Amino acid sequence: MLNIKEGSTSHSAYNLRSTFSDVEERHTLAVIVENEPGVLARVIGLFSGRGYNIESLTVAEIDHTGHMSRITLVTSGTPQVIEQIKAQLGRIIPVHEVHDLTVEGPTVERELALFKVRGEGDARVEALRLADIFRANVVDSTLESFVFEITGTPDKIDAFAELMRPLGLTELARTGVAALSRGPEARI
């Protein structure tokens, strides 16, 4: 628990969270790197070499003329492990910035997924009904199957997958999490 003295605010330039805990937390990290060969391998090597897991990973160029890319990754660990990951990422030479979006303030996280659902009769109708509720788009249709496209939080994607499984889910592809901080200021 965070102990803040009377008259203080929780909105501080300093990280007031205790880093000594056994509770695993899920964190979304945004890493700005030079867009050059081998950078992603170095970042991944840091995780695999120390036994850390990456739950989600997306990489894309964000500045073509400056040759910069953004790696957004989701990982879990104790606060000590998360702090260690951030420090080690910051020491990799082509890494310019490391941001822990989870602790820096409110964020927007989205993921895109494609679902292939095979079904006939009532199962087919139910799949279409659920897709409508989840605002999924039908991007391909045959007499035997549908391909749905859905965008949302990872929890929304997981919930849709669980409902589609008994209706004939045969294939699933996910992009991984894309995340930005909320508000008008650019934090990255």
Side-chain angles (χ1 to χ4, degrees):
M1 179 164 160
L2 185 61
N3 294 323
I4 300 175
K5 294 181 181 174
E6 189 174 324
S8 298
T9 175
S10 63
H11 302 289
S12 172
Y14 302 100
N15 184 1
L16 299 174
R17 297 178 37 209
S18 171
T19 58
F20 300 105
S21 172
D22 291 335
V23 177
E24 287 223 348
E25 301 173 343
R26 179 183 172 274
H27 284 253
T28 302
L29 305 177
V31 185
I32 305 301
V33 299
E34 290 182 30
N35 189 9
E36 62 184 43
V39 175
L40 182 60
R42 286 187 198 170
V43 171
I44 300 306
L46 181 147
F47 279 80
S48 65
R50 288 161 182 82
Y52 305 145
N53 187 41
I54 296 174
E55 297 173 17
S56 173
L57 173 71
T58 58
V59 183
E61 188 173 54
I62 58 170
D63 181 359
H64 185 68
T65 57
H67 304 289
M68 303 295 279
S69 290
R70 177 184 175 120
I71 299 172
T72 304
L73 58 90
V74 177
T75 189
S76 292
T78 63
Q80 303 94 296
V81 167
I82 299 298
E83 290 301 317
Q84 185 177 22
I85 289 170
K86 292 187 302 189
Q88 290 170 349
L89 281 170
R91 285 194 288 271
I92 297 174
I93 295 299
V95 171
H96 290 270
E97 299 176 39
V98 177
H99 293 271
D100 187 343
L101 298 177
T102 304
V103 298
E104 289 183 8
T107 60
V108 176
E109 290 187 1
R110 292 294 181 267
E111 185 174 5
L112 177 114
L114 297 174
F115 291 82
K116 185 183 288 184
V117 179
R118 183 178 174 89
E120 297 175 355
D122 289 343
R124 190 172 171 88
V125 172
E126 182 66 6
L128 283 171
R129 187 185 71 76
L130 288 170
D132 186 50
I133 291 169
F134 277 80
R135 296 188 182 132
N137 297 315
V138 177
V139 293
D140 184 57
S141 178
T142 68
L143 294 175
E144 297 86 28
S145 68
F146 291 109
V147 175
F148 296 109
E149 172 191 75
I150 186 170
T151 304
T153 64
D155 289 341
K156 178 181 177 180
I157 305 291
D158 291 341
F160 189 69
E162 287 306 309
L163 291 171
M164 287 295 133
R165 275 189 176 79
L167 299 176
L169 178 63
T170 60
E171 200 171 349
L172 169 61
R174 296 174 80 150
T175 60
V177 173
L180 286 176
S181 58
R182 293 186 62 177
E185 308 89 36
R187 290 194 212 139
I188 291 189

